[in-house]
Amino acid sequence: MLRVRSRHRYKLPLEDTIMERIAYLGLGIMGSGMATNLLKAGYDVTVWNRNPESCKPLIEQGATQAQTPAQAVENAEVIIYSLADDRAVEDVVFGQDGILSKVRSGQIAIDTSTVHPDTSRKEAAAYAEKHVEFLDAPVFGSKNESTSGGLWFVVGGKREVFERVKPILSPLSESIHYLGDTGKGAAMKLVGNSVVATQIEALGEAMVLATKAGLNPKDVLDVLHVVDFRSPLFDGVGKMLVNRDFTPSFALKHMLKDANLIARFAQDLNSPTPAAAMVRETLKVAVNQGWGEENASALIKALELEGGVTVES
């Protein structure tokens, strides 16, 4: 029998019940922060990760560890996962001992991974056959936002399911946005990531140009901080750049993965994305230089290489 906590009450099909048992799968930079905040919010959390060592900090905080995705979801009411890419989702959801092998009617699955909308629609169809509800709910933000509960969720799926799980997502987020039916959350994430990558490219080009012109990079950032085209991304990435800090909060290799998804998505829709295509080439160069495990801002190092300068204080 479920323990009653009035602050987590929802209307589920056929009955009033309490959704408090959560399975969380995928404990990378983003997932570990989200799972931790669910524990802090008082939820009963079972965790799984491909590398079991990543579960230890969560176990110390009260989580239960599962040995397989199937075992993780068996007794859960809500299943949340944050995985590296479409291939990982395919494996964890559809593979042997995967999520679909043990789900049951009445559960809700939430995919917070950045994937192609077609992957989200494939997941939704497979879950529907098991009478499981599904939301694609990727997030904007990185390590700091995941840790502090300040992520921005963009969600696709049934509106009534979205409303049902909003209180569960609330401890993880600064804001939660409903975008429409299945795949719309995934689509919004690719749209947003295209903006992010293009902004980093623009900042990199500007800072390389400023350095070659003899401007002090810190003076340039001071101006960019106050002008009408200022951006929090310019502030954060700019400071890390001049300090030569490329500690990963979102790895460069993952930004290239997303750029490849954006290219495919745009091709599917015959949508022009010339700037995104150019940024994708810069990302390829940076990853091929061996910087894939560094922060996404390391794409600027490829521009520095081409320009023959280093941007630093």
Side-chain angles (χ1 to χ4, degrees):
M1 180 177 292
L2 299 178
R3 292 167 289 172
V4 175
R5 295 180 184 174
S6 60
R7 66 188 180 92
H8 296 320
R9 185 170 294 277
Y10 307 86
K11 198 77 170 176
L12 284 176
L14 305 180
E15 61 177 336
D16 248 349
T17 189
I18 308 301
M19 295 194 299
E20 65 173 17
R21 293 199 302 263
I22 298 174
Y24 202 102
L25 298 87
L27 300 175
I29 288 175
M30 304 300 289
S32 59
M34 284 190 267
T36 296
N37 284 320
L38 288 169
L39 286 167
K40 289 179 179 178
Y43 290 100
D44 181 349
V45 181
T46 297
V47 295
W48 173 87
N49 194 65
R50 194 177 304 277
N51 176 7
E53 290 295 309
S54 299
C55 296
K56 285 186 176 180
L58 280 301
I59 304 307
E60 292 171 357
Q61 297 173 62
T64 301
Q65 183 174 0
Q67 301 305 310
T68 65
Q71 186 184 66
V73 307
E74 197 167 6
N75 295 314
E77 284 129 4
V78 177
I79 301 157
I80 308 176
Y81 44 99
S82 178
L83 303 170
D85 52 29
D86 297 67
R87 183 177 298 179
V89 169
E90 185 81 24
D91 184 37
V92 172
V93 175
F94 297 90
Q96 185 176 5
D97 290 325
I99 293 173
L100 282 169
S101 68
K102 282 293 184 180
V103 291
R104 66 180 189 281
S105 176
Q107 290 176 308
I108 297 174
I110 304 172
D111 185 2
T112 69
S113 317
T114 301
V115 297
H116 192 285
D118 285 349
T119 298
S120 299
R121 287 186 278 266
K122 179 180 178 180
E123 292 176 82
Y127 283 121
E129 291 182 1
K130 303 276 189 174
H131 305 287
V132 173
E133 300 289 0
F134 172 77
L135 297 173
D136 50 289
V139 298
F140 292 112
S142 55
K143 182 177 180 178
N144 289 341
E145 290 79 16
S146 176
T147 301
S148 66
L151 295 167
W152 298 271
F153 279 81
V154 287
V155 185
K158 294 179 183 176
R159 182 80 193 220
E160 61 269 27
V161 179
F162 166 75
E163 295 294 343
R164 218 181 291 162
V165 303
K166 276 177 70 177
I168 292 176
L169 301 181
S170 181
L172 315 179
S173 60
E174 178 171 314
S175 64
I176 308 168
H177 306 267
Y178 179 71
L179 273 299
D181 58 8
T182 300
K184 293 297 195 297
M188 181 65 231
K189 182 62 193 301
L190 296 183
V191 169
N193 277 14
S194 180
V195 173
V196 170
T198 305
Q199 278 193 301
I200 296 175
E201 170 84 23
L203 177 65
E205 291 183 15
M207 296 302 286
V208 168
L209 177 61
T211 300
K212 291 181 74 73
L215 294 171
N216 184 306
K218 287 189 174 180
D219 292 341
V220 175
L221 292 176
D222 286 343
V223 175
L224 294 181
H225 178 68
V226 298
V227 290
D228 60 353
F229 52 89
R230 62 189 175 274
S231 162
L233 188 144
F234 288 173
D235 290 343
V237 172
K239 181 178 179 180
M240 292 177 69
L241 176 65
V242 298
N243 290 331
R244 310 310 293 173
D245 180 4
F246 298 100
T247 305
S249 57
F250 177 60
L252 180 70
K253 65 181 181 181
H254 294 317
M255 179 168 276
L256 177 57
K257 179 267 294 185
D258 291 350
N260 290 334
L261 280 177
I262 292 162
R264 174 185 159 198
F265 186 45
Q267 184 66 29
D268 293 343
L269 299 175
N270 197 31
S271 184
T273 52
M278 180 270 295
V279 176
R280 183 182 176 213
E281 296 305 311
T282 306
L283 287 163
K284 289 179 186 177
V285 171
V287 170
N288 287 337
Q289 287 291 326
W291 303 321
E293 299 293 338
E294 297 184 16
N295 197 52
S297 55
L299 80 83
I300 297 174
K301 293 167 75 172
L303 300 171
E304 292 175 325
L305 185 66
E306 187 175 356
V309 296
T310 299
V311 180
E312 57 187 338
S313 57

